[in-house]
Structures are given as structure tokens and as C-alpha cells.
Amino acid sequence: MTEQYKKTKIKQSRYQIIAADLASKIVDREYEVGQKLYARSSLASKYGVSSETARRAIAVLQDLGIVQATKGSGVYIQSYEEAAKFVHQLKDVQSVNEIQHDVFESIKKQRDELDRLENLSQELVSRTNRFHSLNPFAPFNVTVNSECLYLGMTIQELNFWQNTTATIVGIKREDEILLSPGPYASIKENDVIYFIGNEASFDVVKNFLYKG
């Protein structure tokens, strides 16, 4: 779904662009009400388009009441107010398109971040498995909640290994995973602590974190 959004682009027809440009010139007072516009052929030459494209641009402005086209007389500016309304509507559409673009960019960044988190998780599992192959330990994890007795303290201050005989191999915090955290890494609420030890380590660590 996101890939489809990434490929979606808003594109205006050439005659719509010309109509918008003429309306903007009316709003900027480059053309006055009652003033005659270029002939279609001149308009086509000015914008480098075909006569049919110029005709369509004039037709858009005429339908909106911005100009009046009379056969044999030419095209005259009819309403400054309608031109201003048209220009404001175009700006609103552009704002919506910009918001849409920002939303799609945000979705892409979130997908990239999820991919990064998945890669980090795989790396954590890979490192734990490698460690497990060299040691008779099994990987465990425990989530830290508000009842933990040691919130804000570092691994060194906890004397974690001395108190549990377990070794912390990673800490997951929100969308990031800190692999092989050093002694100055702190424990915070909602952290997921990954550790290795013997079969009793899981209960020992939980008891230590919540019962002292």
C-alpha cells in the first residue's frame, strides 16, 4: 500500500496550469476587469502550447465566470472576485497535496525504522545464539515495570552479575536495542532486559528486580 502511495503524483493538465496562471495575473492586477486578453493564437504562442490547449484554458476561466468570451469580439476579464476565489481554491488543493506528501514521507520513515528495529532484533538473537553455542546458557528476557526497585540505576550500581549470576546482553528501549550494554547503562521503566544464565536465572533476576 505504501509503495503505491510513493508512486502517486499529482499532475495538472497544461491547460489547467495556464488557466491558473492567468487567474493569478488577474489577482495580481496585471490584467484589469474589462481588459481584453490575448487572442487564442497569441496565448498559445506565449505559453508554447497548441491553440486547442489555449482554448481549453479560456474555457475553464469562462466556466468559472472569470472571463467572458464572445465570438468575434474576443476574451475579456469579467471578475476579479471569481479569479481570487479560484486562486484560493488552488492554494487549498496544493496544501492538501503537501500534507498528503508529508503523510506518505512519515509512513516511509516509520517503515524504515521498523525495518531497522527488525534488523537489530535479528542481530540480538544472532549474538545470543552465538553466545549460547559457546556456553551452557539459555537466553531470557524480562520487562521492567514501575514496581522495579532499581529504576534509574546503572548495571554497575546494581552489581547485576554478582547478585544474579546472569549477564545482560541487550536492552530494548522503545524502538532501539542497545547490544552488549556497558556498566553505565541504566535501567528504566518499560525496558526489556535480555540476559543469559542458567535454568534458574529467570526467577533469580525477577526476584532481584522486584523483591530485592
Side-chain angles (χ1 to χ4, degrees):
M1 185 174 181
T2 305
E3 293 299 323
Q4 180 181 355
Y5 287 154
K6 286 167 61 179
K7 295 177 182 178
T8 302
K9 293 184 179 180
I10 306 300
K11 185 176 181 180
Q12 285 184 303
S13 300
R14 189 73 178 126
Y15 71 88
Q16 292 174 318
I17 296 173
I18 295 171
D21 185 62
L22 290 171
S24 297
K25 284 180 166 55
I26 295 171
V27 172
D28 292 339
R29 304 293 187 180
E30 292 186 32
Y31 299 120
E32 298 293 339
V33 173
Q35 182 179 345
K36 184 176 181 179
L37 273 178
Y38 298 102
R40 290 189 182 90
S41 58
S42 299
L43 200 62
S45 176
K46 175 179 172 62
Y47 286 98
V49 296
S50 65
S51 297
E52 176 60 19
T53 299
R55 184 195 68 76
R56 289 186 179 183
I58 294 299
V60 169
L61 297 177
Q62 185 175 12
D63 290 342
L64 294 172
I66 297 173
V67 303
Q68 183 177 16
T70 305
K71 190 174 181 179
S73 298
V75 180
Y76 293 86
I77 308 301
Q78 182 175 347
S79 173
Y80 170 86
E81 290 75 14
E82 293 300 324
K85 187 187 301 183
F86 179 44
V87 170
H88 286 309
Q89 288 174 343
L90 288 174
K91 288 182 179 179
D92 289 341
V93 170
Q94 289 173 347
S95 297
V96 169
N97 291 338
E98 289 171 359
I99 293 172
Q100 185 185 48
H101 176 269
D102 290 343
V103 169
F104 294 159
E105 284 297 311
S106 178
I107 292 173
K108 179 180 180 300
K109 289 179 181 178
Q110 289 179 23
R111 284 177 61 90
D112 291 343
E113 189 62 26
L114 286 173
D115 290 341
R116 175 176 170 273
L117 179 58
E118 182 179 357
N119 291 334
L120 283 172
S121 299
Q122 291 174 352
E123 176 65 16
L124 176 62
V125 172
S126 175
R127 291 195 184 192
T128 302
N129 288 340
R130 287 199 299 270
F131 196 95
H132 176 67
S133 67
L134 298 174
N135 299 271
F137 300 118
F140 301 98
N141 71 80
V142 62
T143 300
V144 178
N145 62 37
S146 59
E147 297 179 1
C148 178
L149 303 177
Y150 308 109
L151 293 177
M153 294 182 65
T154 65
I155 295 174
Q156 184 180 60
E157 291 170 337
L158 290 176
N159 288 322
F160 192 86
W161 184 85
Q162 291 87 341
N163 284 302
T164 66
T165 68
T167 301
I168 295 177
V169 294
I171 298 176
K172 179 179 179 293
R173 181 170 298 156
E174 295 181 350
D175 293 335
E176 294 185 348
I177 295 179
L178 177 62
L179 298 176
S180 302
Y184 302 110
S186 60
I187 304 300
K188 296 185 178 181
E189 185 177 354
N190 298 322
D191 281 355
V192 178
I193 300 175
Y194 294 87
F195 59 93
I196 53 176
N198 56 36
E199 293 180 358
S201 291
F202 181 76
D203 291 332
V204 172
V205 170
K206 287 202 70 172
N207 287 332
F208 171 67
L209 293 177
Y210 295 108
K211 298 180 181 179

